[in-house]
Amino acid sequence: MENIYNLTLSSLEEYFLTQGDKKFRAVQVFDWLYKKRITSFDEMVNIKKDLLEKIKQDFTLKNVVIEARQSDHDVEKFLFRLEDNEKVEAVLMLHDYGNSICVSSQVGCNMGCAFCESGRRKKVRNLKSGEMIEQILLVEEATKKKITHIVVMGIGEPFDNYDELVKFIELCNHPKALEIGSRHITVSTCGIVPKILAFAKLPYQVNLAISLHAPNDEIRCQLMPINKVYPVEKLMDAIREYLKMTNRRVSFEYILLDGVNDREIDAIALAKLLTGINGYVNLIPYNETNHLKWKRSSKIAIAKFYDTLKKNHTAVTIRREFGREISAACGQLRSEKEEK
Ligand code: SAH
């Protein structure tokens, strides 16, 4: 039995052909799954009985359930329980331009970033594309809100689960499935260089965000072990190549950590590093967690860092904060629940 949400339209078409049926059956089923949002296969009244029985033998429909919800006016956090009782999270954020969801791509994470709550738990397994899709379907069903934007920035490193990520993107984007514009989809990576180059070749105009967090190897190695494999210069080369191939713009996430990466010389070094790159910096006030020693930079330090980047001709925004009251930082809800 396979989760039916793991299947792209073409793989479902193939399934029906091998059943001796017609290709268009897949579009009918997709319509039930993604447009009518059935909760049981029996609702598919235009599928004849014996075929319906076969579908019920081969596929499962509901694999993920909502285990907990926490909300705070414009943000709501969801904890999901998977079939094997593992847990992941998603966050829904309400903006004036639409509703975005931050989805998880793995159970745990092997990247081991020093400041990150998710990385305290090693990767248990990759999520299947269907488990990523179900996060979106469940949140829409639970909140009756239409999701317009997707960011793959929850638990996990999406480029460490590349094939499932690509299927997920196809299902998000496909007009017969979720039909969310590729420019409304963003994938965030800690910087796995070969996958950045592969990603550039995909036929989707999906946005790329790079978790940079430091302007040089010295600081980045302290924060992100991946930097020992793909140091800053290699990462920047890959990004230059990506930009050449796609003509898009990348964003650089930069968490400001008190006394670690928030000094004026860091801002100047960052501006220099990004010279000539079509991108912008997204400054993130750090969400402190109980288990980790890092402190968020002061308001003044954040404002100064911002000004220094501006003065040095670097495009920059400060990320609006969501969910500080509800432990919405990556991995926090899951650790709270599991450590109780
Ligand atoms: N592995 C991917 C995506 C998941 S992390 C990546 O590294 O990009 C999503 C973003 O949240 C990353 O930029 C990560 O560095 C950041 N992040 C992790 N913990 C955080 C915290 N406590 N406060 C603010 N941002 C955090």
Side-chain angles (χ1 to χ4, degrees):
M1 296 255 268
E2 184 167 17
N3 181 353
I4 197 156
Y5 296 110
N6 287 338
L7 273 71
T8 58
L9 186 63
S10 52
S11 45
L12 194 58
E13 284 172 347
E14 235 167 79
Y15 169 80
F16 283 116
L17 288 176
T18 58
Q19 300 303 314
D21 207 271
K22 299 275 184 320
K23 236 173 140 176
F24 75 86
R25 202 68 73 200
V27 173
Q28 286 182 326
V29 171
F30 259 48
D31 192 58
W32 289 111
L33 295 176
Y34 293 102
K35 309 295 174 182
K36 302 202 177 80
R37 303 287 171 94
I38 51 167
T39 54
S40 145
F41 283 129
D42 290 319
E43 291 171 55
M44 306 196 295
V45 292
N46 59 355
I47 308 290
K48 53 183 192 294
K49 221 172 166 187
D50 47 342
L51 185 60
L52 188 63
E53 285 312 310
K54 183 78 177 104
I55 292 173
K56 282 156 79 173
Q57 273 169 28
D58 291 342
F59 297 109
T60 57
L61 186 63
K62 289 277 155 197
N63 304 274
V64 180
V65 291
I66 296 176
E67 168 118 338
R69 290 170 70 167
Q70 258 178 41
S71 65
D72 180 21
H73 65 291
D74 51 5
V75 53
E76 186 161 7
K77 181 123 192 176
F78 295 83
L79 184 70
F80 302 102
R81 183 161 39 85
L82 310 174
E83 252 181 323
D84 54 358
N85 283 323
E86 292 296 343
K87 293 177 180 69
V88 292
E89 313 173 4
V91 185
L92 173 72
M93 290 158 282
L94 313 181
H95 311 264
D96 45 12
Y97 58 81
N99 303 318
S100 68
I101 187 171
C102 172
V103 298
S104 294
S105 57
Q106 298 179 319
V107 180
C109 182
N110 276 344
M111 299 301 121
C113 297
F115 49 80
C116 179
E117 186 72 30
S118 301
R120 290 178 57 234
R121 300 277 316 275
K122 280 259 165 292
K123 177 170 93 173
V124 179
R125 65 175 177 88
N126 286 328
L127 291 191
K128 300 285 280 180
S129 53
E131 293 174 308
M132 300 174 72
I133 288 289
E134 279 188 84
Q135 296 173 47
I136 298 175
L137 297 174
L138 283 168
V139 168
E140 286 196 336
E141 182 187 87
T143 60
K144 307 283 173 241
K145 290 201 162 67
K146 172 84 188 115
I147 287 165
T148 56
H149 293 68
I150 299 170
V151 296
V152 188
M153 281 192 196
I155 298 172
E157 167 50 47
F159 281 177
D160 183 37
N161 185 13
Y162 190 76
D163 295 342
E164 294 299 316
L165 173 77
V166 171
K167 276 202 283 170
F168 168 72
I169 291 171
E170 179 174 341
L171 287 164
C172 289
N173 186 235
H174 201 287
K176 300 289 182 204
L178 289 179
E179 208 177 358
I180 293 175
S182 55
R183 286 189 176 77
H184 287 188
I185 303 171
T186 302
V187 175
S188 178
T189 178
C190 64
I192 299 181
V193 161
K195 293 298 186 299
I196 293 174
L197 298 172
F199 197 65
K201 294 186 192 131
L202 281 188
Y204 310 102
Q205 306 271 310
V206 177
N207 303 306
L208 180 64
I210 305 285
S211 294
L212 189 59
H213 307 324
N216 56 47
D217 288 331
E218 194 198 330
I219 301 176
R220 202 163 187 266
C221 279
Q222 283 173 39
L223 298 174
M224 304 176 72
I226 192 72
N227 199 71
K228 294 178 186 129
V229 187
Y230 304 113
V232 172
E233 213 31 63
K234 284 230 164 69
L235 176 60
M236 296 315 292
D237 283 344
I239 291 164
R240 273 184 279 271
E241 186 62 26
Y242 169 91
L243 290 171
K244 236 197 300 181
M245 289 166 70
T246 62
N247 258 319
R248 268 173 253 154
R249 199 168 183 225
V250 282
S251 61
F252 295 94
E253 293 154 273
Y254 196 105
I255 300 176
L256 287 163
L257 297 164
D258 184 36
V260 176
N261 62 358
D262 65 346
R263 300 159 305 174
E264 190 180 14
I265 48 165
D266 301 324
I268 292 169
L270 181 61
K272 193 162 167 232
L273 182 71
L274 300 184
T275 303
I277 298 251
N278 185 18
Y280 64 95
V281 177
N282 201 199
L283 294 177
I284 307 176
Y286 181 56
N287 255 315
E288 292 176 11
T289 97
N290 295 333
H291 310 105
L292 302 168
K293 61 177 181 181
W294 313 91
K295 296 281 164 238
R296 73 158 51 195
S297 303
S298 67
K299 278 212 167 91
I300 295 175
I302 296 174
K304 270 196 174 157
F305 201 92
Y306 176 91
D307 287 341
T308 307
L309 286 178
K310 281 254 158 181
K311 249 189 267 160
N312 287 276
H313 317 290
T314 304
V316 54
T317 55
I318 299 179
R319 177 170 298 170
R320 185 181 147 205
E321 275 196 85
F322 279 99
R324 209 175 161 189
E325 303 308 316
I326 59 167
S327 309
C330 199
Q332 283 182 10
L333 190 61
R334 175 170 175 256
S335 351
E336 272 172 28
K337 294 274 173 195
E338 297 198 337
E339 279 162 28
K340 256 183 203 154

